[in-house]
Amino acid sequence: MADGEYVLEARGVMKIFGNHVALDTVDFGLRKGEVHALLGENGAGKSTLIKVLTGAYQPDGGGIYMDGAQISLDNPLHAQSFGIGTVYQEVNLLPNRSVAENLFLGHQPLRFGFVNFRKMEADARVLLANYDLQIDPASELGTHSVAVQQIVAIARAVQLSGKVLILDEPTASLDRNEVERLFEVIRGLKAKGLAIIFITHFLDQVFAISDRVTVLRNGKLIDTRPLDDLSRTDVVRLMLGKDIAFSGATDIESNAAQNEVLVEFKGYGRKRGVLPFDLTIHKGEVVGVAGLLGSGRTEVARIMFGADPADQGTVTVNGQLTAIRKTTDAIRHGFGFCPEDRKAEGILGDLSVRENIVIALQGKLGWFKALNRDEQFEIAGRFSEAMDIRAASLDMPVKLLSGGNQQKVILSRWLATDPAFLILDEPTRGIDVGAHAEIVRTINRLRDEGMAMLVISSELDEVVAYSSRIVVMRDREMVAELRGKNINPGIIVQAIANNTDEAVA
Amino acid sequence: MKRSLRPLAATAVIFLIAYAVSVLQFPGMLSTRVLGNFLTDNAFLGIAAVGMTFVIISGGIDLSVGAVIGFTGVLVAVLITWFGVHPLVAFAIALLVAALFGAAMGLTIHYLQVPSFIVTLAGMFLARGGASVITQDSVPINHEFYRTISEAIIRLPGGGRLSFIGLLMVAVFLVGALLAHRTRFGSYVYALGGNTVSALLMGVPVARTTVQIYMLSSVLAALSGIVFSLYTSAGYPLAAVGVELDAISAVVIGGTLLTGGYGFVLGTFVGVMLLGLVQTYIIFDGTLSSWWTKIVIGVLLFLFIVLQRIIFAASAPGEESSEKV
């Protein structure tokens, strides 16, 4: 540490959970006025390092130094008093309280021992103006978009700490414009001399905003380097220790269209959900769904699966007119659905990996054909191997796994039911590059095996890589269906943006 | 209007309509006498309901309230009548005991991560059992101080009487409202009800706040027990059975969300008054069984839960835009 000018430094930090070494003598130094990207696959130790740096965990070895002096952090609040503020992926604010109170909670201006609301709201207005936010400080936070909430969270963290800002995947649920907005905020803070740690899974964003990068793998420090002399391939190689190749197949033969029709939706829609749409899905075909956040992508998935049943239109499965009013109807027809919000709608956090994998299959078999323990282990074992699920044991609670592994568990759950039609909503959101590639590979493999899929994703490169057809959503309406050579990111963006439908092939 | 205000507004409107209807039927109900008695008769319920409001806003529940009222009544009566302690000293002892009792429940809830429902259920059995161990019988209180207090009334034009305990309840509501809406402690209570994890990460002293909330609830329950003993001039171990449920009803009818995070202390006041109105109406009617009170409360409660559900589900963020379609 020759330059010794680190604002915040971790020296030889160890963290051990049971017999698992989560952090193995990791050194990490953060300079004033830099954006320092922290990268690593899921389970590499990023979150653990952050939790040590914010006082949520106590290190089992090594120490934390601030401006060269050793400090010990008891809890996040204590870290805050040292100037270390954190913004998490899920906005950790109070949706039930006003914007102003979220900014100042615990530090509200007082007058005669009582909270001075007028001053608090005036202060909030001034503070928000720095971030170009024109919102009423007295309004309930929960009524604003996630992006606004995220900026409010940053404003709070900077306001209270003002030395080090840790951004833990802040962009995971933002769309492109919102990310750009956030980056402007980050650049402004950097110019003011704040030291910023930025964690993300999007390499583009790392290169767009970061000065240096630290890569962790399996709890060990791999390297800390300035980004100037690194290429994207270098970074990926550092993260994985190997090269990965996305199959860049853009020209998936559309012979799937000649396969027999599996599901056909006609005038299918739901009031307050999605405008009526027509969609035919063939066996062995992946239909990609593109569109901005809030364009009705998720609604399409939910209506198809009967999670929010349709109130108009018809659905034909295997040539038979039928009705999907609830999810069990859909499962009976061989549908599977991996929802977008893994934590809330996907995993059963306290149940084991094994139970999470077999639960949909058990649901399909019904009450009277209980899978015994050996069968459960056999099924769970088979899928965890096929999907490369990294869990210490099949009996460990699934909530302890990393995001990518949880996603693989949910995917396994539905694959175990041997579905004919699988709906995946953002299957790669918030997971690392390795697991990402694994899931893309799985999608391709399943398609080749003849499964029909509907995949929703915000990552256009990814949708393009595996879709045989792409439908584009805008304002809760299916506005375009792209095939063949029209499947490329440029045309999709056009279709999303255009009001005229020239992009339709 | 903010959506959190809507249930409160609904309660207020229902109260006014119900009162108007009652007055049309029994003009006698529009008198300072009835209004004064409203306060006096519901004083102990109102005071306990203020504590319950804090607990429910924080996302918890306190089932020990009724038992603490009973226990306090017995403790105070025994200290005064058997041991000759001055009532004020007895009150102080009772409040202190309740504070410790509440703190113990809060500590258990926070550190052992046991649901408040279970902990306060245990607290309820402890307090009720404790009261019955001290004495099985009603212990009368004959003390100069009690007579002074019950004679300390403000006469209103029209024959109404504002009693000390009625005014005390109003004072508790006002202080409670200030505490909930104008202090950092109050904002912490709402924070816990909103999202405990976020609250912790935002630096809310979760442990301290939790303990304070249950202490507050128990202390107010004890104060309510003292008021009850002033009201009845006796202590009885089986007094105020089920009052915690009345308090919960008053809180919910007053617009506080049972899942926490939203609510108003003064809403609870309207809730208590609405419950009082139902009882008074039944007394005025004279032919109805007093159990009708329970039925009306049940219907009201059900209505309000449905109402809150509709208000909070219909205006969830992000759904407003789809309304246009």
Side-chain angles (χ1 to χ4, degrees):
Chain A
M1 307 291 143
D3 37 359
E5 56 199 55
Y6 293 133
V7 182
L8 183 67
E9 196 187 349
R11 286 187 205 155
V13 164
M14 300 274 294
K15 184 70 199 175
I16 300 165
F17 295 109
N19 48 13
H20 170 62
V21 182
L23 284 180
D24 189 359
T25 53
V26 169
D27 296 314
F28 178 80
L30 184 65
R31 292 192 191 125
K32 201 168 184 282
E34 74 165 349
V35 176
H36 193 140
L38 184 57
L39 298 180
E41 281 200 81
N42 286 324
K46 283 173 310 191
S47 323
T48 315
L49 179 60
I50 291 310
K51 283 183 173 154
V52 169
L53 288 176
T54 54
Y57 289 162
Q58 304 305 315
D60 295 325
I64 312 292
Y65 297 79
M66 174 158 272
D67 297 322
Q70 184 160 13
I71 53 174
S72 73
L73 304 167
D74 302 337
N75 54 50
L77 188 58
H78 191 219
Q80 215 172 60
S81 70
F82 280 103
I84 304 170
T86 314
V87 173
Y88 303 90
Q89 173 180 359
E90 290 95 23
V91 181
N92 273 296
L93 294 177
L94 302 164
N96 59 330
R97 304 305 282 163
S98 74
V99 171
E101 191 165 309
N102 271 289
L103 285 170
F104 295 108
L105 186 75
H107 309 264
Q108 296 104 319
L110 300 180
R111 196 175 48 186
F112 314 123
F114 293 110
V115 174
N116 184 344
F117 278 91
R118 193 173 301 167
K119 181 165 187 322
M120 182 165 90
E121 277 161 22
D123 290 354
R125 206 166 267 124
V126 172
L127 192 61
L128 293 173
N130 292 337
Y131 297 89
D132 282 329
L133 272 190
Q134 310 285 336
I135 54 175
D136 177 10
S139 57
E140 220 173 274
L141 184 79
T143 59
H144 297 289
S145 73
V146 178
V148 168
Q149 295 188 27
Q150 196 70 263
I151 293 174
V152 171
I154 290 177
R156 176 182 167 88
V158 171
Q159 164 79 8
L160 294 180
S161 32
K163 220 167 180 179
V164 174
L165 178 63
I166 300 175
L167 299 171
D168 191 354
E169 294 192 43
T171 56
S173 40
L174 304 187
D175 69 27
R176 192 181 298 242
N177 292 328
E178 293 171 329
V179 168
E180 201 36 60
R181 177 87 184 277
L182 191 71
F183 279 5
E184 252 150 57
V185 167
I186 296 176
R187 285 190 198 105
L189 294 171
K190 177 180 144 183
K192 284 183 192 154
L194 229 73
I196 298 166
I197 302 179
F198 181 53
I199 299 168
T200 183
H201 286 303
F202 302 105
L203 285 183
D204 291 346
Q205 298 183 358
V206 172
F207 279 88
I209 196 143
S210 311
D211 303 304
R212 291 196 303 154
V213 58
T214 288
V215 178
L216 296 178
R217 196 193 320 143
N218 292 331
K220 292 197 179 68
L221 174 71
I222 300 305
D223 207 352
T224 298
R225 300 254 286 273
L227 263 183
D228 296 342
D229 44 272
L230 283 179
S231 72
R232 291 157 68 82
T233 337
D234 294 336
V235 173
V236 174
R237 196 178 295 131
L238 284 174
M239 284 170 70
L240 298 180
K242 61 182 185 226
D243 271 309
I244 54 156
F246 284 107
S247 73
T250 34
D251 251 351
I252 293 160
E253 284 305 313
S254 47
N255 58 0
Q258 277 97 55
N259 281 351
E260 55 185 299
V261 172
L262 181 70
V263 196
E264 192 175 6
F265 297 96
K266 269 219 171 84
Y268 217 55
R270 177 181 163 83
K271 224 185 272 173
R272 292 159 59 95
V274 192
L275 290 177
F277 62 88
D278 296 328
L279 188 64
T280 309
I281 294 160
H282 305 86
K283 286 185 178 160
E285 142 174 276
V286 174
V287 177
V289 179
L292 297 177
L293 270 177
S295 60
R297 298 174 312 190
T298 300
E299 287 79 357
V300 166
R302 293 180 61 85
I303 194 177
M304 284 181 172
F305 194 63
D308 297 320
D311 51 17
Q312 48 191 312
T314 59
V315 52
T316 314
V317 181
N318 283 326
Q320 283 200 313
L321 199 62
T322 179
I324 296 175
R325 283 195 205 86
K326 47 189 195 294
T327 52
T328 43
D329 292 344
I331 293 171
R332 201 157 35 81
H333 287 302
F335 289 19
F337 177 37
C338 301
E340 180 179 21
D341 189 344
R342 264 196 309 274
K343 267 186 206 153
E345 300 176 343
I347 60 162
L348 303 162
D350 290 315
L351 295 188
S352 69
V353 174
R354 165 176 58 89
E355 288 162 319
N356 267 284
I357 291 179
V358 300
I359 192 160
L361 178 59
Q362 184 65 70
K364 195 179 178 190
L365 290 176
W367 279 47
F368 298 107
K369 292 182 206 145
L371 293 165
N372 67 33
R373 212 177 144 79
D374 289 343
E375 284 167 332
Q376 292 188 8
F377 266 113
E378 198 276 319
I379 294 163
R382 182 148 46 87
F383 280 100
S384 73
E385 199 165 313
M387 300 290 292
D388 191 22
I389 295 170
R390 286 173 210 167
S393 121
L394 291 175
D395 272 327
M396 93 193 243
V398 78
K399 68 179 173 190
L400 299 181
L401 298 188
S402 65
N405 282 316
Q406 290 180 357
Q407 189 68 37
K408 290 182 197 166
V409 168
I410 299 175
L411 205 47
S412 305
R413 173 191 298 168
W414 291 110
L415 293 180
T417 65
D418 192 20
F421 177 45
L422 190 57
I423 304 165
L424 305 175
D425 193 355
E426 293 283 2
T428 57
R429 164 167 294 179
I431 66 177
D432 63 82
V433 182
H436 188 283
E438 185 76 36
I439 284 177
V440 171
R441 262 199 300 280
T442 308
I443 292 175
N444 279 321
R445 195 189 76 224
L446 294 171
R447 183 194 54 226
D448 294 343
E449 288 172 11
M451 190 185 292
M453 277 174 283
L454 181 94
V455 186
I456 299 169
S457 176
S458 332
E459 290 189 58
L460 298 184
D461 294 342
E462 181 192 305
V463 186
V464 165
Y466 49 61
S467 300
S468 358
R469 224 166 5 128
I470 291 180
V471 293
V472 178
M473 299 292 300
R474 186 175 62 221
D475 294 337
R476 297 173 184 272
E477 192 179 358
M478 215 171 259
V479 292
E481 190 173 321
L482 310 174
R483 312 162 178 274
K485 63 180 186 337
N486 276 324
I487 298 185
N488 82 50
I491 294 183
I492 299 175
V493 170
Q494 254 180 30
I496 292 173
N498 277 3
N499 279 317
T500 54
D501 286 353
E502 12 178 311
V504 181
Chain B
M1 179 162 49
K2 271 192 183 172
R3 61 192 177 133
S4 52
L5 274 168
R6 283 179 222 159
L8 175 59
T11 313
V13 169
I14 289 176
F15 176 79
L16 290 177
I17 293 174
Y19 193 52
V21 169
S22 311
V23 169
L24 279 181
Q25 200 177 348
F26 307 108
M29 275 184 73
L30 184 64
S31 69
T32 53
R33 185 189 292 269
V34 169
L35 286 174
N37 288 350
F38 255 23
L39 297 182
T40 308
D41 296 340
N42 296 296
F44 75 100
L45 174 62
I47 291 170
V50 171
M52 187 67 81
T53 309
F54 281 87
V55 174
I56 292 181
I57 289 175
S58 80
I61 197 94
D62 186 351
L63 298 180
S64 69
V65 167
V68 171
I69 293 175
F71 179 82
T72 306
V74 169
L75 183 67
V76 166
V78 164
L79 284 173
I80 295 170
T81 307
W82 293 359
F83 296 97
V85 176
H86 188 274
L88 283 175
V89 179
F91 295 169
I93 293 173
L95 292 174
L96 187 70
V97 169
L100 293 175
F101 183 74
M105 291 197 298
L107 287 169
T108 315
I109 289 165
H110 179 76
Y111 286 105
L112 301 185
Q113 295 289 309
V114 186
S116 55
F117 182 90
I118 300 295
V119 174
T120 58
L121 186 67
M124 174 181 107
F125 284 115
L126 277 175
R128 191 65 77 186
S132 304
V133 166
I134 296 175
T135 172
Q136 301 259 15
D137 311 312
S138 180
V139 180
I141 303 172
N142 272 310
H143 195 280
E144 192 55 38
F145 184 78
Y146 266 64
R147 274 188 291 281
T148 317
I149 291 282
S150 55
E151 280 159 16
I153 49 172
I154 300 172
R155 291 192 183 278
L156 296 174
R161 289 135 56 105
L162 278 180
S163 65
F164 172 79
I165 58 173
L167 291 174
L168 182 66
M169 171 181 75
V170 173
V172 168
F173 267 105
L174 291 178
V175 173
L178 273 180
L179 196 60
H181 307 305
R182 296 281 147 182
T183 65
R184 283 188 186 161
F185 168 73
S187 63
Y188 293 159
V189 174
Y190 283 93
L192 289 189
N195 184 336
T196 318
V197 177
S198 292
L200 189 67
L201 290 169
M202 289 174 84
V204 170
V206 174
R208 194 180 78 204
T209 308
T210 306
V211 171
Q212 284 170 336
I213 290 168
Y214 287 92
M215 277 175 81
L216 180 70
S217 178
S218 289
V219 166
L220 286 178
L223 186 61
S224 164
I226 291 167
V227 164
F228 197 69
S229 83
L230 286 163
Y231 185 59
T232 59
S233 288
Y236 181 53
L238 293 181
V241 170
V243 164
E244 62 278 355
L245 302 180
D246 291 337
I248 293 169
S249 317
V251 171
V252 172
I253 291 173
T256 297
L257 207 59
L258 204 45
T259 44
Y262 295 92
F264 302 92
V265 171
L266 293 182
T268 302
F269 182 76
V270 182
V272 170
M273 287 300 106
L274 192 53
L275 296 188
L277 178 68
V278 174
Q279 267 164 346
T280 312
Y281 177 87
I282 281 160
I283 293 167
F284 264 78
D285 183 271
T287 59
L288 290 172
S289 147
S290 70
W291 289 103
W292 277 99
T293 320
K294 301 285 177 200
I295 291 174
V296 175
I297 293 175
V299 170
L300 281 177
L301 206 53
F302 184 73
L303 267 179
F304 273 88
I305 289 168
V306 171
L307 179 78
Q308 289 181 345
R309 197 73 215 154
I310 291 168
I311 288 172
F312 280 84
S315 62
E319 285 205 17
E320 286 131 25
S321 53
S322 61
E323 198 68 279
K324 281 176 270 175
V325 179

